[in-house]
């Protein structure tokens, strides 16, 4: 009897912790409720907001945003130099802030002589850097998935990033658990081959990362 090493989608193997299940329900409720609220709110703002408004603390708003952007870039660079997994979320945060910076620079300078500079800085600075960070984050996330997929004994191609479920203790079957009884010679042979192939893929992924 051959053992098929596949990711399991069964929730019967391990019941979720009550606290984790409650937090998940709260999160889903808040996120979904926010989405439902924001759609009519945006429609209301689109017809109620004035096109011009005199504001104070303009300098504090922009300097504060730039401080946040510099901090995010610094954290992203720090974790990149140290080759830490936390680089991935920091790269996504920094890329998002860069896009926001480009958006507000262009929109708020639309009728001013500074528009050309805002467009130039967005085109050759903020947006390309944001694209690079998003690409690096996705690439490293993909390599992480491939490494985990290989080390759990899967010999086929890893699933796409958008298809991977949130990982839990029972998301992917472990090789040692599958061969724990030692009763299936053919199955254990396949597991050994899968482990060897997985280690090879893991080494390749480490080299690329």
């Amino acid at each position: 009897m051959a053992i098929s090493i596949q990711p399991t989608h069964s929730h019967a193997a391990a019941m979720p912790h009550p606290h984790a299940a409650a937090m998940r329900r709260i999160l889903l409720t808040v996120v979904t409720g926010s989405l439902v609220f924001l759609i009519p709110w945006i429609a209301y703002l689109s017809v109620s907001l004035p096109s011009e408004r005199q504001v104070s603390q303009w300098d504090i708003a922009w300097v504060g945003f730039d401080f946040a952007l510099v901090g995010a870039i610094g954290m992203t660079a720090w974790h990149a130099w140290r080759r830490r997994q936390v680089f991935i979320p920091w790269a996504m945060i920094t890329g998002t802030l860069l896009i926001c910076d480009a958006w507000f620079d262009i929109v708020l300078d639309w009728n001013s002589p500074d528009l050309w500079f805002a467009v130039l800085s967005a085109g050759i600075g903020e947006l390309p850097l944001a694209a690079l960070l998003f690409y690096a984050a996705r690439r490293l996330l993909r390599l992480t998935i491939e490494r985990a997929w290989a080390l759990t004994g899967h010999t086929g191609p890893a699933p796409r990033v958008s298809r991977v479920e949130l990982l839990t203790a029972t998301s992917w079957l472990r090789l040692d658990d599958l061969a724990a009884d030692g009763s299936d010679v053919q199955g254990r042979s396949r597991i050994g081959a899968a482990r060897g192939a997985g280690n090879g893929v893991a080494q390749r992924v480490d080299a690329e990362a």
Side-chain angles (χ1 to χ4, degrees):
M1 179 183 70
I3 295 179
S4 176
I5 306 176
Q6 296 290 338
T8 177
H9 299 283
S10 174
H11 297 284
M15 295 298 293
H17 192 279
H19 178 70
M23 289 300 296
R24 181 176 184 273
R25 287 194 297 269
I26 293 173
L27 176 64
L28 290 174
T29 301
V30 171
V31 172
T32 305
S34 299
L35 174 64
V36 173
F37 168 78
L38 281 174
I39 293 175
W41 178 248
I42 293 173
Y44 166 74
L45 291 179
S46 67
V47 298
S48 64
L49 284 177
S51 59
E52 296 182 7
R53 184 174 183 180
Q54 187 72 27
V55 297
S56 58
Q57 311 301 337
W58 178 265
D59 53 345
I60 295 178
W62 276 111
V63 171
F65 180 86
D66 286 340
F67 265 118
L69 180 57
V70 168
I73 293 174
M75 293 297 293
T76 303
W78 172 256
H79 293 302
W81 278 106
R82 293 174 60 83
R83 300 172 65 88
R84 296 290 187 262
Q85 280 287 324
V86 74
F87 164 84
I88 296 174
W90 273 113
M92 297 176 69
I93 291 170
T94 304
T96 302
L97 289 177
L98 286 167
I99 292 176
C100 292
D101 193 23
W103 165 262
F104 285 110
D105 279 345
I106 293 174
V107 172
L108 297 179
D109 286 334
W110 192 259
N111 293 318
S112 76
D114 295 330
L115 176 61
W116 70 269
F117 180 78
V119 173
L120 185 65
S121 66
I124 67 175
E126 295 150 347
L127 296 182
L129 179 55
L132 175 63
L133 290 173
F134 285 135
Y135 171 80
R138 189 186 186 283
R139 178 62 177 163
L140 289 175
L141 183 60
R142 176 65 185 175
L143 291 173
T144 301
I145 292 170
E146 289 182 1
R147 191 179 199 284
W149 188 257
L151 290 178
T152 50
H154 299 83
T155 56
R160 294 164 53 187
V161 173
S162 60
R163 303 286 295 178
V164 177
E165 297 180 357
L166 291 175
L167 297 183
T168 64
T170 57
S171 293
W172 294 343
L173 296 179
R174 295 182 301 175
L175 297 177
D176 293 337
D177 291 341
L178 291 173
D181 59 358
S183 59
D184 182 9
V185 176
Q186 184 180 5
R188 284 186 286 115
S189 176
R190 290 190 60 190
I191 288 172
R195 179 182 285 111
N199 288 334
V201 173
Q203 291 173 1
R204 176 186 63 80
V205 168
D206 286 345
E208 291 189 39

